[in-house]
Amino acid sequence: MADALSYKPRAGEIPTDPGVYRFRDAEGRVLYVGKAKNLRQRLSNYFAPLRTLHERTRRMVTTASSVEWTVVPTDVDSLQLEYMWIKEFDPPFNVRYKDDKSYPFMAVTLGDEAPRVIVTRNHKIPGARYFGPFPKVWAVHETIDLMIKAFPIRTCSDASYKRAMQTGRPCFPGQIGKCGGPCSMTVTIEEHRAMVDDFVAFMAGGDERFTKDLRKRMLAASAAMDYEAAAKYRDKLTAIDAVLGRSALVLQPDEDADLFGIAEDELAAAVQHFVIRGGRVRGVRAMTIEKEIDITTGELVDQVLQRAYGDAQDVPRRILVPTLPDDAAELEVWLRERRGKKTEIAVAQRGQRADLMRTATLNAQQALIRYKTRRTSDYVARTQALTDLQEALGMSEAPLRIECFDISHLGGTNVVASMVVFEDGLPRKDQYRSFGIPETTDDTDSMYQVLRRRLAYLDRPEEPEEEAGDDAIVRRKPRFAYPPQLLLVDGGKPQVEAAARALRDAGHTEIAVCGIAKRLEEVWLPGEDFPVILPRTSESLYLLQRLRDEAHRFAITHQRKKRRNDITTVLAEVPGLGESRIKVLLKHFGSVTALKGAQPHEIQEVQGIGPVLAQNIHTHLSTR
């Protein structure tokens, strides 16, 4: 492969102004759209020596055959143009959104003579005000049923409304008390519009004003002995409390914000978008993103915000994100143009906002795990993954049994290894194994030791076993005696070469071996100078990732258990310190390091630990 691209612009040809660039293939299709504050500086990154580029970026620039750019006056203009072009061309190497699920919204048709509230997935109703999204349709209907008890606005169809206004007979929903519009013949158009305004204001977050006002009216009506009016106000308060009870107060009552929790790996990301109005979560939207080229978290946040607010009508005054993008100031200007008022982009660092960000991030992490495991749990997907692996690795048969190994240590101590087994693309947890490694020089030596120990079981003779009450002798295979078709190691070329050496020394070169390097998700084969690049959307790569992640999880779990057992054994040697006090100590300090660094008076603060015992614990640990 040549180390330079044939379409690379000449030196000085690219301007230093802000602008938007497009990479195109030989057929003229737009492959990637990006923006830059300095076009020359940004594009020079793509035309660096190919060997220095991230693999997926290298694949994009080698697929392209030309690059073009458009200079714009300001950075905000480049943001707007980038959004328009991504929407128009849908470039395959820009991030790909997988939220094909159309979420239901509550919409109030403010453009109508007598606005009505409806459930819809259509985001283009002229003049409509949207609230949500809601996770399920029934959740929207339930909220509307409660809301119209407090704010009886129109719910009937346009045809029913028109017929009722022409005939002078209430619409059917109005006859049964389910519609409070002018078609029910109980209010005028002006009175109905006022109720609609209150409905919208409440849904937008004005909780306190309405509850205080209704409570004041109820008490006044009761004092005036107008008990019928007081009962109506009471029923409205009950309905409002029911709506508020469906969502806890997560921020201050006057807080209007959108919060984005993001979990990501090299290839994909999951986003949880919390819509917070009046301090309460009014809607949640989830999306999954496939990364086509290497981008930072800040760049990902940039793309997510563009998608979320490109056509949005409801832009809050504050947007909380895990990381500020580089062009946060330009994004704020862009959002202000849409909102008509100032919008702040901030990082949730402390207090209630940080707590809510942790909740959103946890939901995003779980969504990312579900997304990745769903593909490997499907039979067709598993079959495709194994077939693709066979072809990519040049194997004679599909790897029906794959064993993955990972090394874990804590600063070179407590070195452990894990072995996880997948058969037919599914985990066999009953065959997982862990290994302790007492002496080692580095990760490659640890990998060699573990594989030699595992491969030794393949050469063990079958063990005779006499059946009770019968002279017949049957033989059974010892543990680990079933050979895998593929050994997968967590690591790059050094770890793969160590694994291949273990296979040669054990005399089992018939077993294929490969490694997956986490940073670039490259698959390495022994003796090769360049990695195998599996398509980033392929089932085979997802299978290898899941194997690697499972081996890593299992190794970490074993290491933590070993460390916990080690410190428990040490503490058990202290006279007067039993199992229950050991648990209290470890729970109080949170870590072994904190306990070892604690002074006697700090240890004495733990319930059940006296001064003498505290001194004994400190003395015992300081000598270990």
Side-chain angles (χ1 to χ4, degrees):
M1 178 188 295
D3 207 33
L5 298 167
S6 60
Y7 61 91
K8 177 181 178 181
R10 292 190 298 271
E13 185 177 345
I14 307 175
T16 57
D17 304 288
V20 182
Y21 55 90
R22 292 180 288 185
F23 282 89
R24 292 180 181 269
D25 63 11
E27 286 73 36
R29 181 181 60 158
V30 176
L31 299 178
Y32 183 75
V33 173
K35 66 178 182 300
K37 296 182 178 181
N38 185 318
L39 283 168
R40 182 182 300 175
Q41 182 178 350
R42 179 60 174 163
L43 285 174
S44 64
N45 296 333
Y46 294 100
F47 296 108
L50 293 179
R51 63 181 182 278
T52 65
L53 296 180
H54 189 287
E55 174 56 36
R56 294 194 300 281
T57 304
R58 184 163 67 243
R59 184 156 54 90
M60 188 274 289
V61 297
T62 54
T63 303
S65 62
S66 65
V67 62
E68 58 190 36
W69 54 84
T70 300
V71 174
V72 295
T74 67
D75 296 334
V76 178
D77 292 327
S78 67
L79 182 69
Q80 177 68 36
L81 185 58
E82 180 194 33
Y83 169 74
M84 291 173 56
W85 277 354
I86 289 176
K87 187 175 180 182
E88 177 181 355
F89 298 113
D90 191 21
F93 281 93
N94 283 86
V95 295
R96 312 287 289 178
Y97 295 88
K98 293 295 182 180
D99 59 340
D100 51 355
K101 176 180 179 181
S102 179
Y103 288 90
F105 282 78
M106 178 194 299
V108 181
T109 58
L110 296 178
D112 294 346
E113 176 188 62
R116 64 174 177 145
V117 57
I118 59 173
V119 180
T120 182
R121 299 179 192 270
N122 179 11
H123 296 179
K124 299 181 179 180
I125 301 175
R129 179 71 182 271
Y130 293 90
F131 301 99
F134 290 79
K136 302 291 182 182
V137 171
W138 61 262
V140 200
H141 285 294
E142 195 171 274
T143 301
I144 290 176
D145 288 343
L146 291 171
M147 285 295 298
I148 61 175
K149 293 178 181 178
F151 306 97
I153 67 174
R154 183 165 80 90
T155 58
C156 63
S157 67
D158 290 339
S160 296
Y161 172 77
K162 184 177 181 180
R163 184 167 53 251
M165 297 300 286
Q166 288 176 343
T167 62
R169 297 183 56 188
C171 65
F172 178 72
Q175 295 175 32
I176 61 175
K178 293 292 185 179
C179 181
C183 52
S184 65
M185 306 303 166
T186 58
V187 294
T188 65
I189 291 179
E190 291 73 18
E191 291 171 336
H192 180 258
R193 174 66 71 167
M195 285 192 296
V196 169
D197 292 341
D198 288 343
F199 184 104
V200 171
F202 177 84
M203 289 301 300
D207 305 344
E208 294 296 325
R209 176 171 68 88
F210 289 103
T211 53
K212 289 180 180 179
D213 183 59
L214 285 173
R215 189 169 284 107
K216 183 178 179 180
R217 291 186 183 185
M218 180 183 69
L219 294 175
S222 178
M225 297 186 183
D226 188 356
Y227 299 117
E228 184 175 348
K232 290 181 179 179
Y233 293 135
R234 178 203 61 200
D235 293 342
K236 289 185 177 183
L237 269 174
T238 302
I240 288 178
D241 289 340
V243 173
L244 297 180
R246 292 166 57 84
S247 59
L249 192 67
V250 294
L251 297 179
Q252 294 301 314
D254 61 344
E255 184 86 56
D256 290 343
D258 281 3
L259 184 143
F260 294 85
I262 298 177
E264 60 178 320
D265 60 18
E266 287 288 332
L267 297 179
V271 180
Q272 290 283 320
H273 176 189
F274 285 10
V275 179
I276 304 162
R277 299 294 181 268
R280 301 176 188 272
V281 178
R282 300 290 193 179
V284 177
R285 177 189 284 116
M287 69 181 77
T288 306
I289 297 171
E290 290 187 352
K291 300 180 184 178
E292 298 297 335
I293 64 172
D294 184 40
I295 60 174
T296 64
T297 302
E299 291 171 331
L300 180 62
V301 170
D302 186 327
Q303 294 293 316
V304 168
L305 295 186
Q306 287 189 48
R307 178 180 173 85
Y309 301 111
D311 297 319
Q313 299 177 347
D314 184 19
V315 179
R317 61 185 175 187
R318 181 173 289 111
I319 298 171
L320 302 174
V321 295
T323 302
L324 281 180
D326 292 338
D327 60 346
E330 290 76 21
L331 275 169
E332 288 180 345
V333 174
W334 183 68
L335 291 167
R336 184 173 61 204
E337 293 175 354
R338 278 155 174 71
R339 183 170 182 255
K341 299 179 182 177
K342 181 180 179 181
T343 295
E344 176 192 9
I345 302 175
V347 176
Q349 295 180 329
R350 60 181 66 89
Q352 292 175 307
R353 297 177 185 175
D355 292 340
L356 190 60
M357 178 61 76
R358 282 191 286 270
T359 300
T361 303
L362 178 61
N363 278 272
Q365 290 170 346
Q366 294 172 346
L368 184 60
I369 292 172
R370 287 195 302 270
Y371 170 71
K372 299 188 73 170
T373 56
R374 185 168 58 244
R375 300 181 66 176
T376 55
S377 63
D378 179 77
Y379 175 77
V380 176
R382 297 200 313 268
T383 303
Q384 185 65 48
L386 296 175
T387 303
D388 290 347
L389 275 181
Q390 177 186 353
E391 296 176 356
L393 304 182
M395 301 176 62
S396 59
E397 59 180 344
L400 299 182
R401 179 183 172 95
I402 306 175
E403 296 177 3
C404 182
F405 294 81
D406 182 36
I407 306 296
S408 179
H409 59 83
L410 182 64
T413 63
N414 282 329
V415 183
V416 299
S418 65
M419 179 186 99
V420 301
V421 181
F422 274 37
E423 290 187 352
D424 295 329
L426 293 176
R428 285 291 305 272
K429 294 192 176 183
D430 61 313
Q431 297 189 27
Y432 286 14
R433 295 293 183 269
S434 57
F435 304 84
I437 306 173
E439 295 182 4
T440 183
T441 56
D442 55 25
D443 280 357
T444 58
D445 179 55
S446 300
M447 187 66 71
Y448 177 83
Q449 288 189 45
V450 169
L451 289 177
R452 283 304 307 270
R453 288 162 61 181
R454 187 269 173 272
L455 294 170
Y457 282 93
L458 298 180
D459 300 322
R460 289 192 177 186
E462 294 182 346
E463 301 172 355
E465 180 179 305
E466 184 174 349
E467 292 187 355
D470 197 335
D471 293 336
I473 299 296
V474 298
R475 296 181 181 277
R476 63 178 177 84
K477 284 183 175 289
R479 293 185 309 161
F480 305 139
Y482 297 95
Q485 283 81 41
L486 176 64
L487 287 181
L488 175 67
V489 297
D490 181 13
K493 188 174 182 180
Q495 287 78 11
V496 172
E497 295 299 340
R501 182 161 52 89
L503 285 169
R504 288 195 302 270
D505 293 348
H508 285 286
T509 55
E510 77 282 0
I511 299 175
V513 61
C514 69
I516 178 170
K518 186 175 181 62
R519 189 174 70 88
L520 299 179
E521 303 295 348
E522 300 167 332
V523 179
W524 287 89
L525 296 176
E528 298 291 337
D529 293 330
F530 298 99
V532 174
I533 305 300
L534 296 174
R536 55 165 304 284
T537 57
S538 68
E539 305 297 341
S540 53
L541 182 59
Y542 274 93
L543 176 58
L544 293 185
Q545 286 178 318
R546 190 181 180 198
L547 270 156
R548 187 265 317 283
D549 294 344
E550 181 71 352
H552 183 67
R553 179 199 65 80
F554 193 57
I556 291 295
T557 301
H558 176 61
Q559 185 195 75
R560 288 174 178 167
K561 182 178 180 181
K562 184 178 179 181
R563 293 204 306 269
R564 187 164 55 249
N565 291 340
D566 287 347
I567 189 60
T568 301
T569 301
V570 171
L571 291 173
E573 297 173 358
V574 180
L577 196 59
E579 182 179 347
S580 59
R581 286 179 175 175
I582 291 174
K583 290 182 179 179
V584 173
L585 271 172
L586 295 178
K587 182 178 180 180
H588 177 83
F589 287 98
S591 69
V592 175
T593 303
L595 177 56
K596 286 184 176 180
Q599 296 300 314
H601 70 275
E602 295 173 321
I603 300 177
Q604 187 179 340
E605 295 175 359
V606 179
Q607 184 179 3
I609 307 295
V612 176
L613 183 55
Q615 183 61 52
N616 290 340
I617 294 171
H618 179 264
T619 303
H620 192 78
L621 290 179
S622 62
T623 59
R624 302 296 294 185

